Amino acid sequence: MSVDTTFPTAIPAAQAELARRIARFTPADGVHDTAVPALKLIRASTPTTCTPSVYEPRLCIVAQGSKIALLGGETYHYDPLHYLVVSVTLPMVGQVVQATPEEPYLCLRLDVDPDLLGQLILDTGSAAPASLDRGLYSARAHPQLLDAVLRLMRLLDAPADLPVLAPLALREIFYRVLIGELGHRLRDLATADHRSHRIARAVHLLRQRYLSPLSIDSLASEVHMSTSSLHRQFKSVTTMSPLQFQKQLRLHEARRLMLVEGLEATSAAHRVGYESPSQFNREYKRLFGAPPRSEVERIRATVA
C-alpha cells in the first residue's frame, strides 16, 4: 500500500516513537501482556503464513510492518497508515506480510470495552446512520488518534500514573475511533435498538453455546428477530450463516484442545460435538489447510 503524502508530518514522527516504544516491551516474537490489562503488544520478525484464529472485539494499530486480515473472501489491510477494528467476535484469517528481523512487524492491540463504548455514546449523543455493515473494518489513522495512543504507551514508563491516567487515555482513544470516518460501525453495534446490536447479541450467544445443538428459531427469538432476518443480517455482519459461524468456533476449539491440552484428533472432535471423525477431518482441513495431526505438528515444530 502506497504512503499518502498528504498526511501531516506529525504522522511519521508519531509512528517512529510508537514503534520504538512497542519494540522496548516486546523482546521476542509473540503477543506480550502489559500493565494495562486491555493492552497487548505484538511482534513478528518474519512474514507469517495465513493463520485462522478467532478475533475478539479489538482495535489494532500497526507501528511498523503490515498485516492483512481475510474474512469471507474480503481482504483488510492494516499498516502504519491504517488501523483495524473488530467490533464483533469473528473467526477469520490473519497474515503478517511485511516484517524483517531488522524492522519487525510491531502492533498495539486494545480490547474493546462495551461499557466504555456505551458511556462514550451517551456522552457524545450522536446517532448512528441506519446501516448494517461488516463487524470488521480498517480506516486511516489520524494524528489525534496516534497522539492518544502514544500517551497511553508513555504511561507504561510511569506505573504510578497508570491507575488514574490510563483510563483517560483509553477513553480518548475510543472516542477518536467513534468520531472517525467509520466510527458508526462501533456505535450502532453498541446501540440497543439497532439491528447490528441484535446481531452482536446473536454472536455472543453462539460464542457462549457453540458446543450445544443450534436452533435457529430459538436464537432468532432470543434476539427479537425473524429467522429469515437473522440469517440475512448475520451474514451481512460476519459473512457467515449462524451454522457456519458455530462450526468454525467448534473447529477452533478443537485445535486449541489438541495444541494446549494434547488431545488426539478423535477425542478433540468428540469434545466439540463431532460424531464423525472423517467429517471432522474434512472440515478441519478445509479451514486450516491441513489434516488435524499434520497441522498441529507443524505448529509445534514452528514454536519449538
Side-chain angles (χ1 to χ4, degrees):
M1 186 175 296
S2 60
V3 174
D4 186 345
T5 55
T6 64
F7 264 47
T9 55
I11 290 283
Q15 173 195 337
E17 181 183 349
L18 185 59
R20 289 195 302 271
R21 290 183 177 276
I22 294 175
R24 282 181 48 221
F25 288 94
T26 55
D29 287 356
V31 180
H32 299 262
D33 293 331
T34 71
V36 180
L39 174 64
K40 313 290 183 189
L41 304 176
I42 304 165
R43 181 188 189 113
S45 297
T46 60
T48 64
T49 58
C50 290
T51 305
S53 59
V54 178
Y55 282 48
E56 301 292 348
R58 62 184 55 163
L59 165 67
C60 299
I61 297 179
V62 175
Q64 187 169 273
S66 63
K67 186 174 182 177
I68 59 174
L70 308 173
L71 178 66
E74 299 170 354
T75 301
Y76 298 80
H77 297 261
Y78 50 122
D79 57 22
L81 290 182
H82 294 79
Y83 62 92
L84 186 83
V85 171
V86 183
S87 52
V88 295
T89 300
L90 290 172
M92 55 187 183
V93 174
Q95 182 182 17
V96 174
V97 294
Q98 182 181 348
T100 66
E102 296 75 24
E103 294 188 358
Y105 168 79
L106 298 169
C107 177
L108 173 152
R109 190 181 88 197
L110 281 171
D111 296 334
V112 172
D113 181 346
D115 293 335
L116 174 59
L117 281 184
Q119 187 59 54
L120 283 169
I121 291 166
L122 287 174
D123 292 345
T124 56
S126 53
S131 63
L132 193 68
D133 297 308
R134 290 280 184 265
L136 170 73
Y137 65 90
S138 60
R140 287 164 42 135
H142 287 273
Q144 296 90 339
L145 174 61
L146 289 180
D147 182 59
V149 169
L150 272 174
R151 276 185 274 113
L152 178 63
M153 284 297 299
R154 289 167 186 156
L155 286 172
L156 296 180
D157 290 321
D161 296 334
L162 274 172
V164 174
L165 297 182
L168 300 179
L170 288 169
R171 179 179 171 85
E172 181 178 352
I173 289 168
F174 284 103
Y175 168 74
R176 294 296 177 189
V177 174
L178 280 172
I179 66 171
E181 58 184 292
L182 296 174
H184 67 276
R185 299 192 181 189
L186 272 183
R187 187 178 293 111
D188 59 28
L189 282 158
T191 303
D193 60 353
H194 197 280
R195 292 174 299 169
S196 291
H197 179 83
R198 297 173 186 171
I199 299 302
R201 174 65 178 160
V203 166
H204 176 72
L205 292 173
L206 283 172
R207 185 75 164 121
Q208 285 186 317
R209 309 170 187 171
Y210 66 94
L211 296 179
S212 304
L214 175 61
S215 167
I216 298 295
D217 291 340
S218 296
L219 181 63
S221 177
E222 284 194 75
V223 297
H224 308 293
M225 299 177 72
S226 68
T227 302
S228 60
S229 291
L230 174 63
H231 264 290
R232 184 177 62 257
Q233 295 178 23
F234 193 98
K235 191 164 187 178
S236 179
V237 171
T238 69
T239 77
M240 293 169 256
S241 70
L243 184 60
Q244 290 170 325
F245 187 92
Q246 183 194 52
K247 183 182 295 184
Q248 290 210 18
L249 291 179
R250 286 181 170 182
L251 290 169
H252 279 282
E253 174 61 11
R255 189 186 197 216
R256 188 196 69 80
L257 290 170
M258 289 184 286
L259 281 169
V260 177
E261 299 189 18
L263 267 63
E264 294 294 328
T266 301
S267 299
H270 180 73
R271 180 84 68 87
V272 300
Y274 278 87
E275 296 182 359
S276 167
S278 60
Q279 181 186 3
F280 172 74
N281 288 343
R282 284 196 307 272
E283 294 182 353
Y284 191 100
K285 182 178 179 180
R286 187 178 304 124
L287 178 60
F288 296 110
R293 178 177 295 179
S294 58
E295 199 265 342
V296 168
E297 288 176 350
R298 178 188 62 80
I299 294 175
R300 286 176 176 159
T302 300
V303 300

